[in-house]
């Protein structure tokens, strides 16, 4: 026997009757081999107060639906991944069940060869959170049931009370970081405009102990007089130095004799 599991999620166990032991005994009906009727499916969903995406991933509810299959069937059924299961109409439940059977059945027929999946499937554009579009509408990414979830907001909208609550909440930036062209152009326009230089306001005059204009004028006059006196003293000292440096004249003969 050969067993390969690159992601190391699986286990191999040898049992006499696997159907009687967990986790096999805890699995729900097989999505392809044991499909429920529309009424059964609808009644089960009415009892579930959680989002539909995590419910589809719950193997005790339906077995055989993984992350990408859940995204695919919800996209094709035009159901928001966070729509509460109990709030889905019977028509939505019927469409969802039909999409589950079609997607799983086709994937099995082509032996999960993704190159053979229909080009209009979300599957081809949902990986690595790359920017993309489906039917001309942008793909967005959120977290549902602890798993990365791809969906198309313009085609998969919340309904009922959830839609009303969502309308009141502030819009968040999409997780893939993309923005529409209008917002990008607006930002570019703002960047191109140079910012006005901010001039500092002169400090306000203090009250109380602040000197008057006349006092300031008198202080300026005193400073000016001190400068003039300093310059005059400098000139006098310079003149003395020049005088002391001059060579003395010859002494007269009479002075030498004496």
């Amino acid at each position: 026997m050969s067993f390969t599991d690159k992601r190391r999620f699986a286990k191999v166990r040898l049992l006499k009757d696997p159907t009687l032991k967990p986790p096999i005994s805890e699995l729900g009906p097989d999505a392809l081999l044991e499909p429920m009727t529309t009424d059964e499916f609808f009644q089960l969903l009415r009892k579930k107060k959680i989002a539909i995406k995590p419910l589809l991933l719950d193997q005790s509810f339906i077995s055989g639906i993984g992350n990408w299959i859940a995204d695919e069937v919800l996209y094709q059924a035009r159901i928001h991944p966070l729509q509460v299961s109990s709030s889905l109409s019977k028509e939505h439940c019927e469409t969802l069940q039909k999409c589950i059977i079609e997607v799983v059945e086709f994937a099995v027929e082509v032996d999960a060869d993704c190159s053979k999946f229909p080009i209009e499937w979300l599957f081809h554009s949902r990986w690595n959170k790359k920017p993309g579009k489906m039917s001309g509408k942008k793909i967005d990414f959120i977290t549902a049931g602890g798993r990365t979830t791809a969906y198309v907001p313009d085609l998969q909208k919340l309904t009922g009370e959830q839609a009303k609550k969502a309308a009141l909440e502030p819009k968040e930036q999409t997780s893939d970081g993309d923005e529409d062209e209008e917002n990008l152009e607006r930002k570019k326009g703002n960047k191109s405009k140079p910012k006005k230089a901010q001039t500092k306001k002169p400090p306000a005059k203090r009250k109380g102990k602040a000197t008057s204009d006349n006092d300031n004028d008198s202080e300026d006059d005193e400073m000016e007089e001190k400068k003039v006196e300093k310059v005059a003293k400098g000139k006098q000292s310079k003149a003395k130095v020049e005088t002391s440096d001059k060579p003395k004249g010859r002494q007269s003969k009479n002075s030498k004799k004496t």
Side-chain angles (χ1 to χ4, degrees), residues 133-169:
K133 291 185 177 182
M134 295 297 298
S135 303
K137 309 296 184 181
K138 191 175 77 169
I139 300 171
D140 201 357
F141 296 87
I142 56 175
T143 299
R147 304 296 300 275
T148 299
T149 300
Y151 80 115
V152 182
D154 288 340
L155 301 178
Q156 298 169 256
K157 298 182 179 181
L158 292 169
T159 60
E161 292 297 324
Q162 285 183 270
K164 295 177 182 178
K165 291 180 180 179
L168 297 175
E169 294 177 356

Side-chain angles (χ1 to χ4, degrees), residues 82-95:
L82 297 180
Q83 184 72 43
V84 175
S85 303
S86 59
S87 66
L88 291 172
S89 65
K90 191 170 184 178
E91 289 76 19
H92 275 128
C93 292
E94 184 177 4
T95 303

